[in-house]
């Protein structure tokens, strides 16, 4: 029987972005159904529609073959749809039983019947072999067990369809194997599971069917038995419209940035960078491709001095950056277009002018004694607004009133005119309009070619990474797993296989390209 | 020191702690719901004034007391309306309400009686009864310390115990804690966050109102200008130190009560009066620093382990 069907779902966000375009997808009772797609393909959006967190512009949802309207998560839960979010919704100071029964606590004599709550939680946990102690404090549990608490929360509310959003991203291999066993047990009990993942080997091992999303479209539902990992990867990764950027071949000069054996362990104890080494020369763009969350952000933050690392060296223009203050790193020749422009790239409430000159207002030539030279500040900003075609009512307007594209232009304008000879561009065109994206890409290429600066481009946009980069590296699980000398001739299907873990290059194959 | 001095000191500690305990409980309810209650001061001030006015008008201490409770609750609900319905900033709303209450209570007093700083002459208000505990009364040392207090002194201890049970054991109490810890998690299982906030502010207002009633119908028997004198803030500190646990907050309030009593005793000597008056507040700062150093070390040790 069809446990669930989503028919012709179209979701347009208020900013006009079409995240789901006519997607139809159905899940049988007692199956584990994979939902795969690149970052930004629209998986989360589709699941938010299913869970009542977003309303679609078009389309219908059927649960047990009955048409339903789901306008809030509570209604979804009523209908037997449960979701385990990537970020857990738990109360660390309370016990497992309290978390699981929250909002539906058993009562006796007007007080919460703690014993009963523990009993039903424990029974449920034992039934599905979750191995939880119902009286343990959630804050003391491992991440893997916290996830079990979340699943239990959904099950105890009667979920028949369980949505798991990248559940293995936070798990150790051992925990992953356990989770799979438990999900299979749920399947035999007649539950359906929607499993969102990037890891194809997991999809192959666990799931019955796979639905592939690409750029908001549905690229079909296929039985796993008819596909291999490479087949799924080809369905997932692809360029619908091939963008071309005209540029001559690079003439790399002397090395600017040298990264050697960079290793970092994050606060959760996970190795996010594992022995990463590469060099970037004058006049070239080095691209880093990869599924998001494979260490790219930590790489950019380690290089730009935002976070510290365990071991290894980062040298810029021959200077070791370890332990240096960010101001000093910047004056050593670094500029950064950060991934998150709203929190790191600019100060929302400050004016366009303040943001545009944030890195140079304290330079001697821009000061008038101890005061800021207002005239100078205005003329610098005017020049940037003109050159980068930033549209704003006035340069005194708070930057948050600008569109995403224009905010990014301010950041890009500042970073490209800071006088640095190296730039880290982390997802520089994410969420900006097509015109601005094209301008930023061309600017990046022009700066490298004409001014001879070195650039590191990190991007999840395949078009961008293949066309803008000269050399291309692929990152996976904190390591460099592939290196290509010429990015614009790389085959997309092959790239996908490296990104998704189907293939890995040996050190010999990568030699000379790093 | 003779016995009489010890017992009178002990007695005054309990008496002085009573309003602090109510203030601390008022802050504790809010803290458990994840709200920062700076307005216990206002709740108490209105409770104190309305208690005096109504008991004077009705010649009933009980009705006066109930009116004081209501006044506190209304103050709490007002903060909820401003911040949840009106989306005002919580801190600014509370600062505004504190300033408005300090002036507003005097204005109302003046409008009704023509007095500007004290209600004693104009309003014949009543006090809440004192209770001698039979049996306990005649036990040496302990008897004179524990017996013969205003009914609200015992009420404070009972309130702390009841509040503790409410927060830990009832469904609603659990929901308050859930909202305080992670509103999104609470919302995701169907708990209405605004409703919990309303409940927390109302309860907090009631406790503040009772504290105020004690000030003007027990501790003193009249209303005087700004008579709460920072007790709301001391209560807030007491609650913050123990993470909003009602019983813990009560004991913290007792420590401040001791400081208050010492300061009162010293005023009888020829120690510099201004310095002596600072004592309770200095103790607050010292205890806050000590507690946060302890917590910091504990967190550090935990992080290393
Ligand atoms: N609230 C939103 N407003 C506008 N655009 C959004 C919003 N949420 C997501 N998007 C955009 O929709 C696209 C699909 O996102 P998402 O569904 O999260 O993809 P996935 O889960 O496959 O990575 C992305 O390009 C993202 O930027």
């Amino acid at each position: 029987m069809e446990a669930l069907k989503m028919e012709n779902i179209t979701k347009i966000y208020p900013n006009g972005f079409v995240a789901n375009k006519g997607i139809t997808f159905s899940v049988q009772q007692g199956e584990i159904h994979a939902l795969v797609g690149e970052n930004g393909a629209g998986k989360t959006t589709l699941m938010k529609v299913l869970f009542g967190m977003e309303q679609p512009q078009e389309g219908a949802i059927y649960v047990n073959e009955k048409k339903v309207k789901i306008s809030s998560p509570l209604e979804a839960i009523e209908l037997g749809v449960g979701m385990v979010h990537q970020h857990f919704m738990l109360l660390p100071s309370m016990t497992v039983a309290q978390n699981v029964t929250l909002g539906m606590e058993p009562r006796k004599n007007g007080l919460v019947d703690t014993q009963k709550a523990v009993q039903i939680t424990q029974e449920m946990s034992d039934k599905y072999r979750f191995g939880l102690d119902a009286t343990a404090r959630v804050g003391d549990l491992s991440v893997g067990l916290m996830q079990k608490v979340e699943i239990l929360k959904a099950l105890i509310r009667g979920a028949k369809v369980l949505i798991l959003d990248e559940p293995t991203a936070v798990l150790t291999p051992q925990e992953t194997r356990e989770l799979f066993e438990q999900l299979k047990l749920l399947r035999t009990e007649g539950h359906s599971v929607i499993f969102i993942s990037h890891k194809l080997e997991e999809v192959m091992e666990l799931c019955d069917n796979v639905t592939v999303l690409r750029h908001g479209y549905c690229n079909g539902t296929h039985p796993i038995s008819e596909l291999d990992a490479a087949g799924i990867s080809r369905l997932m990764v692809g360029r619908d419209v091939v963008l071309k950027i005209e540029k001559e071949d690079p003439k790399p000069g002397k090395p600017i940035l040298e990264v050697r054996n960079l290793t970092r362990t994050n606060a959760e104890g996970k190795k996010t960078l594992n022995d990463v080494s590469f060099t970037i020369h004058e006049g070239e763009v080095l691209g880093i491709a990869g599924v998001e969350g494979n260490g790219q952000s930590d790489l950019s933050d380690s290089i730009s001095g935002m976070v510290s690392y365990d071991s290894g060296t980062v040298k810029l223009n021959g200077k070791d950056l370890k332990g240096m203050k960010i101001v000093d790193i910047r004056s050593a020749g670094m500029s950064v277009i950060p991934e998150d422009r709203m929190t790191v790239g600019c100060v929302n409430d400050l004016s366009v002018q303040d943001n545009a000159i944030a890195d140079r207002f304290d330079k001697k030539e821009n000061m008038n004694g101890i005061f800021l030279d207002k005239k100078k500040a205005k003329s610098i900003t005017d020049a940037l607004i003109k050159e980068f075609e930033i549209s704003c009512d006035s340069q005194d307007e708070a930057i948050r009133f600008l569109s995403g594209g224009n905010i990014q232009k301010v950041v890009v304008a500042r970073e490209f005119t800071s006088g640095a000879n190296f730039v880290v561009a982390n997802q520089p065109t994410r969420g900006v309009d097509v015109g601005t994206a094209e301008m930023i890409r061309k600017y990046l290429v022009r700066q490298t070619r004409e001014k001879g600066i070195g650039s590191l481009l990190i991007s999840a946009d395949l078009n961008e990474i293949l066309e803008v980069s000269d050399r291309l590296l692929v990152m996976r699980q904190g390591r460099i797993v592939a290196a290509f000398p010429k990015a614009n001739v790389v085959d997309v299907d092959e790239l996908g296989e490296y990104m998704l873990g189907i293939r890995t290059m040996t050190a010999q194959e990568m030699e000379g390209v790093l | 020191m003779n016995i009489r001095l010890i017992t009178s000191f002990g007695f005054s500690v309990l008496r002085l702690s009573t309003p602090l305990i109510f203030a601390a409980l008022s802050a504790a309810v809010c803290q458990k719901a994840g709200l920062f209650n700076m307005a216990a001061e206002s709740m108490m001030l209105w409770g104190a004034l309305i208690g005096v006015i109504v008991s004077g008008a009705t010649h009933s201490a009980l009705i006066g007391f109930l009116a004081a409770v209501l006044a506190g609750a209304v103050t709490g609900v007002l903060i909820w309306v401003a911040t949840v319905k009106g989306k005002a900033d919580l801190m600014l709303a509370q600062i505004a309400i504190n300033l408005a209450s300090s002036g507003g209570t005097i204005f109302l007093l003046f409008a009704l009686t023509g007095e500007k700083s004290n209600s004693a002459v104009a309003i014949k208000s009543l006090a809440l009864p004192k209770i001698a505990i039979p049996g306990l009364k005649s036990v040496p040392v302990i008897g004179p310390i524990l017996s013969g207090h205003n009914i609200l002194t015992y009420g404070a201890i009972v309130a702390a115990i009841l509040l503790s049970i409410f927060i830990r054991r009832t469904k609603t109490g659990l929901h308050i804690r859930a909202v305080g810890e992670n509103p999104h998690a609470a919302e995701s299982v169907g708990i209405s966050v605004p409703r919990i906030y309303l409940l927390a502010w109302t309860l907090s207002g009631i406790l503040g109102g009772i504290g105020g009633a004690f000030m003007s119908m027990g501790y003193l028997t009249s209303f005087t200008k700004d008579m709460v004198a920072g007790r709301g803030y001391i209560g807030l500190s007491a609650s913050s130190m123990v993470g909003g646990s009602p019983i813990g907050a009560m004991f913290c309030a007792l420590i401040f009560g001791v400081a208050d009593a010492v300061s009162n005793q010293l005023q009888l000597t020829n120690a510099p009066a201004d310095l002596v008056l600072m004592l309770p507040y200095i103790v607050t700062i010292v205890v806050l620093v000590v507690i946060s150093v302890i917590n910091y070390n504990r967190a550090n040790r935990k992080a290393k382990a």
Side-chain angles (χ1 to χ4, degrees), chain A residues 13 15 17 19 38-45:
Chain A
Y13 279 113
N15 64 1
F17 188 87
E38 280 189 83
N39 297 111
K43 305 177 297 282
T44 305
T45 304

Side-chain angles (χ1 to χ4, degrees), chain A residues 344-386:
Chain A
V344 185
C346 67
V347 185
N348 291 328
D349 287 330
L350 289 188
S351 68
V352 172
Q353 184 193 81
D354 291 338
N355 276 292
I357 63 161
D359 65 329
R360 62 202 71 166
F361 67 91
D362 58 345
K363 297 263 179 341
K364 215 172 186 139
E365 67 268 23
N366 300 333
M367 300 280 281
N368 206 342
I370 60 165
F371 296 110
L372 178 65
D373 185 340
K374 266 305 214 186
K375 259 196 233 133
K376 191 85 184 278
K378 187 166 182 328
S379 72
I380 294 175
T381 313
D382 272 335
L384 292 179
I385 289 178
K386 192 141 166 274

Side-chain angles (χ1 to χ4, degrees), chain B residues 98-189:
Chain B
N98 283 351
L99 293 172
S101 300
S102 171
T105 43
I106 295 305
F107 177 76
L108 183 60
L109 180 68
F110 179 69
L112 289 177
T113 67
E115 295 283 345
K116 276 190 185 156
S117 62
N118 196 319
S119 69
V121 185
I123 304 177
K124 274 260 145 301
S125 66
L126 301 173
L128 291 160
K130 289 193 162 75
I131 293 185
I133 301 175
L136 186 63
K137 200 172 60 175
S138 46
V139 179
V141 189
I142 299 188
I145 292 180
L146 295 183
S147 181
H149 283 283
N150 187 284
I151 184 167
L152 288 185
T153 299
Y154 305 110
I157 296 163
V158 174
I161 295 168
L162 287 181
L163 189 63
S164 172
I165 294 173
F166 172 72
I167 293 282
R168 284 185 310 118
R169 298 292 312 278
T170 69
K171 187 169 173 138
T172 315
L174 218 61
H175 291 186
I176 290 181
R177 277 161 58 201
V179 168
E181 199 167 335
N182 184 348
H184 298 298
E187 215 158 15
S188 76
V189 295

Side-chain angles (χ1 to χ4, degrees), chain A residues 13-20 37-46 48 54 165-166 196 198 213 430-431:
Chain A
Y13 279 113
N15 64 1
F17 188 87
V18 188
N20 288 161
E38 280 189 83
N39 297 111
K43 305 177 297 282
T44 305
T45 304
L46 187 66
K48 282 185 172 167
E54 295 283 356
D165 191 357
E166 293 194 40
I196 302 179
H198 287 300
L213 299 190
R430 167 175 296 167

